[in-house]
Each structure stands twice: as C-alpha cells, then as structure tokens.
C-alpha cells in the first residue's frame, strides 16, 4: 500500500493570531438619540477611561455646514458640558447645537465612533458622526466613456 501524504494540524494553528484581532477591533462608539442626546454606553466610557464628572468643550470643524466630526476637549471651566446619567450609560444633551448644524436626529439614526487625539498636550476625544443606513447607490446618468458596441453583425 502506498504511503499517504497527510498534513496534521497543531492546536496553535486553530487559534486566531493577535494581529488579526487588532486589525478587526472596533473603535468604541455610541449613538445620537431622537431627542438630540449623544449617548456613551458604559463600555465605551470604561474603554476610553472617561471620568463622568469631567466637563467638556464641544467643537466641530470650522467652516463646515454639516457636522461630521465632533471634538470633546476636557476643561476645568464651569461653562463646559457635563455628562448626564441616562439609563445604562451617560449622555451629552446637545439638541440645539446638532439641529442648527445639519443633524436631523429626529428623522434619521446617527452613530459615532470615538478616537483619542492630543489637543494642547492633553488627551481629547474625536467623534466621527455617520448615519446608520448605508449611502444609497448612485442611480443617475452613467459617467465616462460609452462602452464600445460589440455586435457580431457589424463588420468594418
């Protein structure tokens, strides 16, 4: 009988590599409620090591009509926004700011992802706001060159 070539696996090959887990890791995030509150789940607060008593200055990109990025910079001033306890998480009430800057939170669902950046030698938080629904496919006029006709009947 002829010897078979068999490949055997080790238990280490059945475990996911650490580099794959880091690449697929989701950024912490939250959502914007239909009442105009930015909601941070407790898991997001723990992952970012956010203190619930911290006050924030809230800002956005200058010169933009619609909010796509929000920036939360911790401040010691009393005029800053403070996180408010809401259900199982915390929220920032920003109803008027969001509605005046193009976020229709009542009609559409918005989510955001949070990343940390340095602002004046202190950690601050960048919220990338996007809609929950994917962008609809383009159904307008096709652009570019017209495809060449490939009819077998036509000979030149």
């Amino acid at each position: 009988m002829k010897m078979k070539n068999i490949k055997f696996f080790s238990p280490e090959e059945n475990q996911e590599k650490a580099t794959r887990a880091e690449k697929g890791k989701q950024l912490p995030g939250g959502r914007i409620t239909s009442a105009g509150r930015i909601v941070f789940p407790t898991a997001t607060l723990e992952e970012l090591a956010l203190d619930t008593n911290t006050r924030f200055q809230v800002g956005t990109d200058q010169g933009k009509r619609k909010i796509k990025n929000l920036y939360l910079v911790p401040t010691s001033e009393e005029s800053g926004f403070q996180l408010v306890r809401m259900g199982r998480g915390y929220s920032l009430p920003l109803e008027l700011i969001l509605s005046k800057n193009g976020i229709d939170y009542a009609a559409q669902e918005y989510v955001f992802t949070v990343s940390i950046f340095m602002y004046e030698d202190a950690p601050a938080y960048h919220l990338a706001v996007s809609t929950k629904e994917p962008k609809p496919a383009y159904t307008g006029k096709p652009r570019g060159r017209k495809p060449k006709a490939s009819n077998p009947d036509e000979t030149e």
Side-chain angles (χ1 to χ4, degrees):
M1 188 160 102
K2 189 175 178 183
M3 191 80 156
K4 302 259 184 207
N5 289 336
I6 301 173
K7 179 183 176 187
F8 293 99
F9 299 102
S10 67
E12 290 82 27
E13 290 176 310
N14 196 31
Q15 294 179 356
E16 197 169 344
K17 295 180 181 177
T19 56
R20 271 193 176 168
E22 290 173 10
K23 285 182 183 177
K25 184 178 177 183
Q26 291 286 327
L27 290 174
R31 65 184 181 91
I32 298 176
T33 66
S34 60
R37 293 175 172 260
I38 296 178
V39 178
F40 295 94
T42 52
T44 300
L45 292 175
E46 289 172 1
E47 190 169 336
L48 295 172
L50 268 171
D51 183 20
T52 57
N53 296 324
T54 306
R55 292 187 174 272
F56 296 100
Q57 288 180 329
V58 178
T60 187
D61 296 322
Q62 193 169 10
K64 300 289 183 181
R65 289 185 181 176
K66 190 172 181 181
I67 293 177
K68 291 187 180 179
N69 300 307
L70 277 173
Y71 302 100
L72 303 179
V73 179
T75 183
S76 59
E77 298 175 16
E78 290 295 317
S79 64
F81 295 91
Q82 187 170 11
L83 291 172
V84 178
R85 181 80 176 155
M86 182 180 148
R88 292 181 280 180
Y90 287 85
S91 68
L92 277 174
L94 299 174
E95 302 92 10
L96 291 175
I97 292 172
L98 293 175
S99 63
K100 286 180 181 178
N101 290 295
I103 300 285
D104 187 14
Y105 50 81
Q108 201 169 19
E109 232 177 292
Y110 287 89
V111 293
F112 60 87
T113 56
V114 183
S115 58
I116 299 173
F117 72 100
M118 297 304 285
Y119 182 78
E120 296 179 356
D121 298 328
Y125 305 96
H126 169 243
L127 281 62
V129 179
S130 63
T131 58
K132 199 167 187 178
E133 295 89 25
K135 187 175 178 181
Y138 180 71
T139 57
K141 184 177 178 182
R143 304 289 182 219
R145 288 185 158 199
K146 293 182 181 178
K148 207 172 198 178
S150 59
N151 290 339
D153 298 336
E154 291 181 25
T155 56
E156 292 181 26

